[in-house]
Amino acid sequence: MALAGRTAVWWARLRSPRPAAPRCLPPWLPAACERPYSSRGKEKVDMSTYPVESIRNFSIIAHVDHGKSTLADRLLEITGTIAKTDRNKQVLDKLQVERERGITVKAQSASLFYSHEGVNYLLNLIDTPGHVDFSYEVSRSLSACQGVILVVDANEGIQAQTVANFYLAFEAQLAIIPVINKIDLKNADPERVEKQIEKLFDIPIEECVRISAKQGINVEKVLQKVIEKIPPPQCNTADPLKALVFDSTFDHYRGVIANIALFGGEIQKGHKIVSAHTKKRYEVNEVGILTPNEQPTHKLYAGQVGYVIAGMKDVTEAQIGDTLFLYKQPVEPLPGFKSVKPMVFAGMYPVDQTEYNNLKSALERLTLNDSSVTVHRDSSLALGAGWRLGFLGLLHMEVFNQRLEQEYNMSVILTAPTVPYKAVLSSPKLIKEYGEAEITIINPAQFPDKLSVSEYLEPTVLGTIVTPHEYIGKIIVLCQDRRAVQKDMLYIDEHRVMLKYLFPLNEIVVDFYDALKSLSSGYASFDYEDAGYQAADLIKMDILLNGNPVEELATIIHSDKAYAHGKFLCERLKDAIPRQLFEIAIQAAIGKKIIARETLKAYRKNVVAKCYGGDITRRMKLLKRQAEGKKLMRKIGNVEVPRDAFIRVLKRQTEK
Amino acid sequence: GAPCPQWPYCRKRCSYCNFNTYVVPAADEAAVRACLVRETRTLLRLGRVQSVTSVFFGGGTPSLASPATIAAVLEAAAEAAHLPDGAEVTLEANPSSAGTPRLTGFRAAGVNRLSIGVQSLDDAELRLLGREHTAAEARGAVEAARGLFPGRTSIDLIFGLPGQSRGAWARGLEAALGLCDDHVSLYQLTLERGTALAAQVSGGALPIPPQDLLADMYLTACAMLVAKGFRHYEVSNFARKGALSTHNLSYWRAEQYIGVGPGAHGRFVPWGEGGCSREARVQTLEPDAWMREVQSRGHGTRRRVVLSPLEQLEEVLALGLRTDEGVTHERWGRFSPHLSLEAAFGAPGKAEALQEQGWLVLDGGGLRCRREGLALLDSLLPDLLCQLQRR
């Protein structure tokens, strides 16, 4: 399942080591700098020539495939940041997974230099994660901006992600420049899209800029709008240093590179700085701007955007949303900092246990750049040693897995994703044991009994669906089936409807997006944002084999869904367990109550018909392999379950 | 020592067969005969065989060979080792090459037992199996054979064909019981990879026979044969009036047998080469290559593997438990002087549990399957092998 075809997603922290040298140098650099393939150890740009008034900090936000990266390419070309060639396609998308999926796993920020009406402007294009898996990070990135370019496809019109992105920018009180892209396409209908924008976002039609990023039509006008409509940052170099960390990467040679936006003061090599979150102290080794590769400068000043290298060893030391200040000159940290909280968990195991160490090292390397993935060692009697990984969302999980396979050639077993439930404890004894009254449950084994709980809570999301109206009926049935509650329904034009539903997160983690896409012939779009927890009638369902519980198949589930899911698991298990000498009852149970049952009949005949002198060698080999297999089987009571049976039951349904 | 010479040629390949057989326009019989003779001599000497206990001509279709070839191999065996008058000499025969004159010739050559590949007495089933004979021809062949080899004619039957009903099988078996002599082998059809029939089934052209139906067919057949006075002496073999196949019993009893001919397998100690351990031996598969090797070296052994004591015990167990006598204490002791059957399988463990559940018996006679256990032997063996490996 993929949530994105072509999302401008900032796959926060998921990226390969970047190349050391820039592709080409911008023409505005001093002549001494114009040596190809060198960016360090030479004369540096003097950033003091760009006062706050000449700075604009902005992002481009768009739905998947509406042309965000193409517009960025053109802006980079026009400002001379990169050379203009036919090959500039998704310049900022470097990973295989990005180009295959058409998403931006890690789009880099870039400082553009542009002269307009005799003034030299510094335009900082701050790339934001386009997907709500990263809504927190989007909000942090947007907090470094004063405005956004909202790109909408002239053919497709407003989509779910357009809506989600718009509200993020709107709530951050940013200037919004609506841009209608792809006007060169045959079926482009910019008028209709302008009306949608007016109706849904209350932005006057005249403010929309019609462009074709692909052909470069009107792109210059977008830059002028950025200068005219987006206010410069409000801050002062004379104030003490206050820098927002809005991204960080890891470089094997230089350690953590933190991308920062200065809300006050200045920063330079030798400064002693402190992280407001960790309270750790560092000495600045290097500062610079992104063009989009790192370009060292002497200093960075208030209002500017760039990077800092300060001997941080681990990306967790430069968490997104953290504030950096000068040692002994503490400032009020910028508001809104949160530690990342994973929303989707899945077990990850090597297909072959002998691959454990290789997978471990691949995970370590991949998470080095991604502090948002949580990793806990886990082991399953059936699947062996592995990990329980926490992701920000489904796409995050999807891409992480794909990168493991593509970049590290690792094949893994990924179990069906689960979500973090909570329980409000009522038993004083348990409260004392946990040290708090509300606990988070990730593993069904920890699910506290109903008797000692006043209520269970499940995570929810507010989902936005934009669809052609002919699919509404089917989509409403689908949403109801997923226990979703309708919050809003609005015709954004004569043909398109926007629906808002409050979903329990677990109802969309497995196959919701696939179901939505298939029943709308691919036309409906979906996006979601965190909507907190709600009380839910949760129960723990056990799977029993001849009365003995199978630990790895225990599931926390809403009571409305227990019967159907129990039946599904029993059926799958029946197909996955080989017949044995006795009958096997495969049951789903809630407490003592059996809610589903399948019966695997006993073998009545299992003996090879012909066995003479000729084929005994082959026969013995097979028997010995079976004997070896027996040793690896998971015994549940007297039932022997092969390892791959669990894999077949536990792995995600889309991988049947 | 029990030589089993292979005649590798068939006139036509059956739809279910994956044996090492070859369909050639005209085999050079004289050359094949010379090689079979030479290899028989070489290997019997290699194994220092004093006395030949039985001979089994298999294949391929050995009834396509001329009686002279059979006679020549038997003469070679008698020359190289003692071949007692009463020793069982079986020939596998296809109904289409088993007319009375040929069978008379084979009897004159020294054959005293015939195993006829009847397979079915239904023409449609025979076509499905790709057999070249009709039910009527099969009947004729069995009647001819019974006339020449009374009490020593066996028939092979196949059940579990795609689409075959339990009733159809019972009727077919009933008919076969009216025709047969004192030995019947009945085989559940195995869909072997690479065969035409397996391809038709996996392609969906033919239905997969359901597991439970196959079990019903087997258990029904066992009951019918036992009711007619047959002893169910091996998973797929039934005999009355003591007409058990001596040669085949030597496989299941893990005695020495000597494979002769293309692709033949053997188990013996090559004392003549200075060996002192039981070896698993396979002859070169392809007939022309095999012949070249026999001509240059006297035999076409392509692979020989010394079997470890554990591997020998594993074979003793896996083969012995297929028979109604099971693995006797005497035989086990011959292969395992230090670990008795009781020590290996009588102690608490998986084997004991299988005995308690009623699949196996370990008593004064040895270790054997109960009637219910025999049909499930392949589910019992992995546990028994596991337990044996731990000892």
Side-chain angles (χ1 to χ4, degrees):
Chain A
M1 165 173 153
L3 275 178
R6 176 161 161 56
T7 332
V9 176
W10 198 14
W11 272 104
R13 276 79 355 242
L14 290 177
R15 82 192 78 172
S16 317
R18 356 172 124 184
R23 284 155 188 245
C24 54
L25 288 166
W28 46 265
L29 286 175
C33 290
E34 289 180 18
R35 272 176 287 144
Y37 307 110
S38 98
S39 65
R40 285 189 293 279
K42 61 187 180 225
E43 280 186 42
K44 293 171 177 174
V45 189
D46 179 5
M47 296 304 288
S48 68
T49 59
Y50 295 96
V52 166
E53 305 76 55
S54 67
I55 297 173
R56 300 291 182 274
N57 294 329
F58 69 103
S59 285
I60 306 174
I61 55 182
H63 188 75
V64 179
D65 218 11
H66 282 196
K68 171 174 162 168
S69 294
T70 313
L71 178 57
D73 289 349
R74 289 301 92 74
L75 295 180
L76 264 57
E77 285 171 11
I78 289 175
T79 56
T81 309
I82 58 172
K84 187 171 180 178
T85 76
D86 295 340
R87 289 178 310 247
N88 288 340
K89 281 182 181 150
Q90 287 177 262
V91 166
L92 301 174
D93 300 342
K94 291 181 185 125
L95 302 175
Q96 188 184 346
V97 58
E98 292 177 321
R99 294 194 180 267
E100 269 179 23
R101 289 183 173 235
I103 59 173
T104 309
V105 166
K106 170 53 192 159
Q108 294 165 7
S109 297
S111 294
L112 321 176
F113 295 84
Y114 185 65
S115 181
H116 180 58
E117 291 175 354
V119 180
N120 287 327
Y121 287 95
L122 170 60
L123 310 179
N124 294 308
L125 168 53
I126 296 169
D127 216 325
T128 64
H131 193 269
V132 281
D133 277 3
F134 306 101
S135 63
Y136 166 68
E137 307 193 2
V138 179
S139 76
R140 293 305 83 209
S141 287
L142 290 184
S143 72
C145 300
Q146 286 72 47
V148 296
I149 300 172
L150 178 67
V151 179
V152 186
D153 183 309
N155 183 13
E156 291 193 354
I158 288 178
Q159 295 293 319
Q161 216 180 309
T162 319
V163 179
N165 281 322
F166 168 80
Y167 283 107
L168 282 170
F170 184 74
E171 281 159 22
Q173 299 186 315
L174 304 182
I176 295 168
I177 302 167
V179 164
I180 298 174
N181 189 22
K182 306 194 189 179
I183 55 166
D184 56 308
L185 290 185
K186 212 174 93 195
N187 295 320
D189 189 354
E191 262 166 59
R192 181 175 67 95
V193 179
E194 284 168 356
K195 282 183 194 154
Q196 290 178 351
I197 289 173
E198 183 172 45
K199 176 157 189 187
L200 206 55
F201 302 148
D202 206 18
I203 298 174
I205 286 173
E206 311 75 69
E207 288 189 23
C208 295
V209 188
R210 296 184 184 183
I211 69 160
S212 164
K214 194 175 164 199
Q215 308 204 336
I217 302 168
N218 264 346
V219 175
E220 193 98 26
K221 195 170 170 196
V222 174
L223 276 179
Q224 290 158 13
K225 284 262 189 187
V226 165
I227 290 166
E228 288 160 16
K229 291 200 61 187
I230 298 175
Q234 302 286 318
C235 51
N236 199 328
T237 299
D239 289 343
L241 172 70
K242 185 190 258 194
L244 170 75
V245 176
F246 66 90
D247 187 17
S248 62
T249 52
F250 182 81
D251 181 296
H252 278 278
Y253 302 101
R254 297 190 287 166
V256 173
I257 301 169
N259 290 6
I260 54 170
L262 269 67
F263 282 69
E266 54 180 58
I267 189 168
Q268 68 180 73
K269 184 174 176 173
H271 275 170
K272 299 227 172 17
I273 57 168
V274 178
S275 147
H277 174 57
T278 65
K279 311 280 187 276
K280 282 190 190 164
R281 189 163 33 128
Y282 305 93
E283 182 173 327
V284 175
N285 298 328
E286 182 179 323
V287 296
I289 54 170
L290 300 156
T291 63
N293 299 301
E294 290 108 34
Q295 181 68 41
T297 61
H298 293 289
K299 285 188 179 186
L300 287 174
Y301 300 92
Q304 296 180 351
V305 171
Y307 68 93
V308 59
I309 299 172
M312 294 174 176
K313 301 265 185 302
D314 189 321
V315 277
T316 56
E317 294 178 71
Q319 285 197 35
I320 302 209
D322 196 2
T323 304
L324 304 176
F325 55 83
L326 284 179
Y327 180 57
K328 288 192 173 160
Q329 293 185 51
V331 297
E332 182 72 16
L334 291 152
F337 176 80
K338 287 190 283 191
S339 283
V340 280
K341 274 215 183 70
M343 290 304 284
V344 175
F345 292 85
M348 184 175 274
Y349 298 87
V351 170
D352 179 343
Q353 279 292 320
T354 59
E355 289 282 295
Y356 179 86
N357 284 325
N358 291 339
L359 180 56
K360 185 174 170 224
S361 99
L363 274 178
E364 278 167 2
R365 277 185 285 167
L366 207 45
T367 50
L368 210 53
N369 262 332
D370 190 355
S371 59
S372 57
V373 177
T374 62
V375 181
H376 293 289
R377 261 214 308 262
D378 199 359
S379 74
S380 150
L381 290 165
L383 306 178
W387 298 267
R388 188 141 196 95
L389 304 185
F391 302 96
L392 296 171
L394 287 177
L395 183 62
H396 190 194
M397 176 172 92
E398 205 54 49
V399 170
F400 189 87
N401 190 27
Q402 193 177 341
R403 290 194 62 193
L404 266 181
E405 283 179 6
Q406 287 178 344
E407 291 168 34
Y408 296 92
N409 198 22
M410 282 283 129
S411 193
V412 300
I413 300 159
L414 202 60
T415 64
T418 58
V419 301
Y421 293 105
K422 287 183 176 179
V424 181
L425 302 174
S426 60
S427 139
K429 187 174 158 255
L430 277 183
I431 294 172
K432 199 174 166 194
E433 198 180 307
Y434 284 103
E436 53 193 349
E438 190 177 293
I439 59 165
T440 301
I441 312 151
I442 292 165
N443 186 338
Q446 305 156 344
F447 192 73
D449 190 82
K450 203 168 186 167
L451 294 172
S452 49
V453 166
S454 61
E455 67 178 347
Y456 297 108
L457 304 171
E458 65 178 343
T460 62
V461 292
L462 184 64
T464 301
I465 298 166
V466 174
T467 176
H469 64 98
E470 58 262 42
Y471 304 112
I472 292 180
K474 286 187 198 164
I475 290 174
I476 288 176
V477 171
L478 173 68
C479 292
Q480 282 169 350
D481 183 53
R482 302 304 174 108
R483 299 194 285 123
V485 178
Q486 198 180 87
K487 293 290 179 190
D488 196 5
M489 178 162 151
L490 177 73
Y491 272 80
I492 58 175
D493 60 24
E494 311 87 85
H495 305 295
R496 288 183 174 271
V497 185
M498 181 185 75
L499 297 156
K500 291 211 175 214
Y501 273 91
L502 187 69
F503 286 94
L505 177 61
N506 83 311
E507 295 288 341
I508 61 162
V509 291
V510 178
D511 56 355
F512 177 78
Y513 188 70
D514 288 341
L516 180 71
K517 279 283 171 194
S518 84
L519 63 75
S520 67
S521 310
Y523 284 112
S525 61
F526 176 65
D527 210 336
Y528 63 87
E529 59 191 281
D530 185 6
Y533 276 76
Q534 70 180 12
D537 186 7
L538 300 177
I539 47 180
K540 180 183 164 193
M541 181 172 73
D542 287 309
I543 297 296
L544 313 175
L545 292 181
N546 280 351
N548 297 298
V550 186
E551 187 196 309
E552 39 280 87
L553 296 181
T555 319
I556 298 171
I557 193 161
H558 192 273
S559 66
D560 289 354
K561 292 297 177 85
Y563 175 78
H565 191 63
K567 189 165 182 293
F568 167 82
L569 282 181
C570 289
E571 282 168 2
R572 257 204 174 183
L573 209 48
K574 185 186 175 186
D575 292 339
I577 300 178
R579 281 182 163 197
Q580 303 188 12
L581 292 169
F582 40 83
E583 186 172 288
I584 300 168
I586 303 167
Q587 296 167 309
I590 294 163
K592 298 230 180 303
K593 191 178 158 209
I594 303 298
I595 56 164
R597 175 186 170 126
E598 291 288 328
T599 304
L600 184 62
K601 286 202 265 176
Y603 248 140
R604 294 173 54 220
K605 178 173 188 290
N606 180 30
V607 60
V608 74
K610 276 197 175 185
C611 194
Y612 297 95
D615 32 27
I616 182 70
T617 304
R618 210 178 62 170
R619 180 89 203 111
M620 291 311 298
K621 257 190 199 149
L622 183 70
L623 284 171
K624 282 196 268 192
R625 202 178 317 133
Q626 287 171 357
E628 283 305 309
K630 284 250 170 188
K631 294 177 189 163
L632 298 173
M633 291 223 196
R634 172 96 162 85
K635 292 259 291 182
I636 314 271
N638 57 350
V639 182
E640 285 169 334
V641 186
R643 219 172 70 100
D644 68 346
F646 286 99
I647 296 169
R648 282 159 70 184
V649 175
L650 288 173
K651 81 178 176 187
R652 300 177 52 218
Q653 293 161 39
T654 47
E655 293 163 14
K656 259 169 216 167
Chain B
C4 28
Q6 304 289 307
W7 178 261
Y9 303 109
C10 287
R11 267 207 295 256
K12 178 179 180 239
R13 182 174 276 276
C14 299
S15 65
Y16 56 92
C17 175
N18 72 339
F19 282 11
N20 180 43
T21 70
Y22 299 84
V23 178
V24 292
D28 182 352
E29 179 158 0
V32 179
R33 178 194 304 150
C35 289
L36 285 173
V37 163
R38 182 142 178 227
E39 192 172 51
T40 302
R41 205 180 288 137
T42 311
L43 295 181
L44 282 173
R45 285 187 183 142
L46 205 61
R48 298 232 175 111
V49 175
Q50 302 295 309
S51 175
V52 170
T53 46
S54 63
V55 182
F56 194 103
F57 288 92
T61 310
S63 57
L64 291 176
S66 67
T69 296
I70 305 300
V73 173
L74 290 173
E75 273 161 33
E79 254 173 54
H82 175 60
L83 177 61
D85 278 347
E88 179 187 286
V89 178
T90 308
L91 177 87
E92 279 185 337
N94 243 3
S96 49
S97 50
T100 304
R102 279 192 82 76
L103 294 185
T104 311
F106 288 129
R107 188 173 70 170
V111 171
N112 56 26
R113 185 173 178 274
L114 218 60
S115 171
I116 303 181
V118 172
Q119 316 309 3
S120 168
L121 291 173
D122 179 288
D123 285 337
E125 288 181 358
L126 288 169
R127 279 194 297 276
L128 182 64
L129 293 170
R131 303 290 294 177
E132 34 163 32
H133 61 87
T134 61
E137 282 170 315
R139 285 177 182 279
V142 175
E143 275 153 18
R146 289 188 67 180
L148 289 164
F149 305 94
R152 294 181 75 91
T153 296
S154 174
I155 61 169
D156 286 358
L157 297 171
I158 295 182
F159 69 92
L161 280 66
Q164 188 182 37
S165 71
R166 190 169 126 171
W169 162 236
R171 282 192 299 280
L173 180 60
E174 196 66 59
L177 285 175
L179 176 72
C180 74
D181 195 16
D182 294 331
H183 193 281
V184 176
S185 302
L186 37 104
Y187 302 112
Q188 180 182 310
L189 176 69
T190 310
L191 292 167
E192 300 284 1
R193 257 176 54 188
T195 62
L197 202 60
Q200 281 176 282
V201 170
S202 65
L206 290 171
I208 301 170
Q211 285 292 320
D212 282 328
L213 175 63
L214 294 172
D216 282 342
M217 286 177 166
Y218 178 69
L219 298 173
T220 305
C222 293
M224 284 169 71
L225 280 153
V226 169
K228 291 274 181 185
F230 282 85
R231 173 178 156 193
H232 186 183
Y233 76 101
E234 193 264 352
V235 170
S236 302
N237 285 280
F238 300 81
R240 63 186 165 194
K241 299 175 194 163
L244 287 69
S245 166
T246 310
H247 184 87
N248 287 339
L249 272 174
S250 68
Y251 295 131
W252 303 317
R253 288 173 172 166
E255 285 162 6
Q256 297 206 70
Y257 53 92
I258 295 162
V260 176
H265 289 245
R267 291 283 186 281
F268 63 94
V269 184
W271 301 107
E273 275 179 349
C276 55
S277 304
R278 187 176 167 98
E279 288 184 6
R281 289 174 156 249
V282 189
Q283 310 308 106
T284 294
L285 283 173
E286 202 279 315
D288 291 340
W290 167 79
M291 280 195 276
R292 282 194 297 276
E293 287 172 40
V294 175
Q295 282 154 6
S296 66
R297 296 192 285 145
H299 65 83
T301 304
R302 177 54 64 95
R303 221 171 134 245
R304 25 186 305 211
V305 177
V306 173
L307 295 170
S308 70
L310 176 63
E311 285 171 318
Q312 293 182 37
L313 283 178
E314 287 168 344
E315 291 194 0
V316 167
L317 194 67
L319 292 163
L321 289 179
R322 292 181 66 87
T323 63
D324 63 347
E325 66 185 14
V327 180
T328 61
H329 292 288
E330 182 271 325
R331 192 184 327 136
W332 183 263
R334 227 185 312 139
F335 285 90
S336 171
H338 305 299
L339 181 75
S340 70
L341 273 175
E342 285 93 349
F345 303 111
K350 197 71 202 190
E352 197 191 42
L354 293 174
Q355 290 162 49
E356 280 164 9
Q357 289 158 20
W359 310 115
L360 284 174
V361 188
L362 175 58
D363 63 11
L367 181 70
R368 64 188 178 278
C369 288
R370 286 187 189 275
R371 195 169 53 83
E372 299 80 4
L374 191 64
L376 290 162
L377 178 61
D378 291 356
S379 291
L380 310 180
L381 282 171
D383 280 327
L384 296 176
L385 293 177
C386 267
Q387 186 157 339
L388 183 59
Q389 285 165 12
R390 288 204 195 98
R391 296 286 151 172

